[in-house]
Each structure stands twice: as structure tokens, then as C-alpha cells.
Amino acid sequence: MHLHTNILSDDNYNSLLNITTGNYFAWYHYATSLHKELSTQDDDFMFAHSLYDVNTGINSPQFQEFIPLLNTISAYVGKKHTNLLRIKANLYTNSGVNITHEQHEDYPELDSYTTAVYNLTTCNGGTKFYKPNKFFDSVQNSLLVFDGKSLHSGVTQSDTPIRVLVNFDFS
């Protein structure tokens, strides 16, 4: 697990923040943060926006706006995993308490891949890991890169109206 801070210039960061929190970025309600059959929690909902999926290609008219971020993150991921599997933006709303979503791997069927979480907002939510037991706060313009096989959970915030992040997976 590697945490990198201030990875984008202020201009690039502010541009992505304005896009994802603006009136014209479509957020879609997901009843659970995982595949429905895997979720056991009633309060596990979120909003998401699929930008890219390896099976369907580009899914968003805003995909081009995320290319500078993709290029930056690819450099942090390195040469081990260069095949892009997915880019998905997540938005969590404030429910007044921190809710730890289900622990999971993004692609359990794969033997080896890298996950990267880029935080657009600072709040008391974050990403929780189980082995080792660690928690990484959501801090704006920070990138958390980790072995995709690491069990992890998203944690909602209780101190700000929204938590916004972009999730990347590479094989």
C-alpha cells in the first residue's frame, strides 16, 4: 500500500473536482457498493459513474477529462500492471455516521492486479484494509495504490455532505 499526495496540479485537480461535483456529471444510484448477491448490508448504497470498463470500453462523455489523471496514475502503478480494467467514480452521501461497506476485492477472479483510489475530497471517510488492519483517510488530491487482492472497504463520511473518489483497476 502506497499513499501519494498532491499528485495533480491545482488546475487539473480543480477541473476534476468541478466536473464531478457540477450539475452535469451524471451520478447513478447503486443499491449496494458490491454486486447485489454479495452484499449483506442495508445501508451499503452509493452513487457511481462508470467512465471505462474493459468489457464495454468508454462509458462516459466525460472520459477525456480524466485522461491526465489516468496518465498520472499509470506512472504510480508502474509496469507490473498496464492493462486498464476499469475507471469508476464513486460518490458517498453523509448519513450522519461512518458506515464501513462490505469488505471485498474488485476483481476476485483475477490472480494479480493493482487498484488505485484517487480522492477528490477531504473528509473523515476513507479506505479500510483488513490485512494489515489499516485505515487511510480520504484527503483531496491523494492517491492510494495497492495490491488488488487486498481485502478493503469504502468508509462513508459523517463530517462533509459528500465523499468523491475515482477508482482504477489495472491487470
Side-chain angles (χ1 to χ4, degrees):
M1 292 170 223
H2 301 283
L3 181 65
H4 309 279
T5 58
N6 298 313
I7 68 160
L8 292 181
S9 69
D10 288 345
D11 287 345
N12 282 340
Y13 163 75
N14 287 322
S15 175
L16 287 180
L17 180 65
N18 290 334
I19 289 166
T20 57
T21 60
N23 292 335
Y24 300 104
F25 193 76
W27 289 104
Y28 300 93
H29 180 262
Y30 282 42
T32 68
S33 65
L34 303 176
H35 299 289
K36 192 169 185 77
E37 65 275 6
L38 299 177
S39 182
T40 60
Q41 291 180 237
D42 291 333
D43 54 5
D44 194 32
F45 76 94
M46 66 181 202
F47 294 87
H49 182 104
S50 176
L51 292 142
Y52 177 86
D53 183 86
V54 68
N55 295 316
T56 57
I58 296 171
N59 297 318
S60 172
Q62 287 93 1
F63 175 82
Q64 294 296 330
E65 303 291 340
F66 288 79
I67 288 178
L69 177 60
L70 174 60
N71 291 338
T72 300
I73 288 176
S74 294
Y76 285 102
V77 169
K79 297 186 186 321
K80 181 176 180 185
H81 295 123
T82 57
N83 182 40
L84 181 62
L85 295 171
R86 176 174 73 167
I87 305 173
K88 182 172 67 91
N90 294 344
L91 182 145
Y92 299 110
T93 59
N94 183 338
S95 60
V97 296
N98 294 96
I99 297 169
T100 301
H101 287 221
E102 300 267 348
Q103 63 179 308
H104 67 281
E105 297 175 33
D106 292 354
Y107 288 91
E109 69 278 9
L110 296 181
D111 291 331
S112 178
Y113 65 102
T114 298
T115 299
V117 174
Y118 177 73
N119 292 294
L120 280 155
T121 55
T122 297
C123 62
N124 67 1
T127 305
K128 178 179 178 172
F129 291 90
Y130 296 87
K131 292 181 184 176
N133 185 13
K134 291 187 100 167
F135 182 80
F136 291 89
D137 292 314
S138 179
V139 176
Q140 71 181 33
N141 202 14
S142 69
L143 176 68
L144 180 60
V145 179
F146 56 95
D147 180 342
K149 300 302 285 180
S150 300
L151 287 176
H152 63 282
S153 297
V155 179
T156 67
Q157 77 292 350
S158 63
D159 63 338
T160 61
I162 59 174
R163 175 179 180 223
V164 181
L165 62 96
V166 185
N167 184 66
F168 294 79
D169 291 293
F170 299 88
S171 65

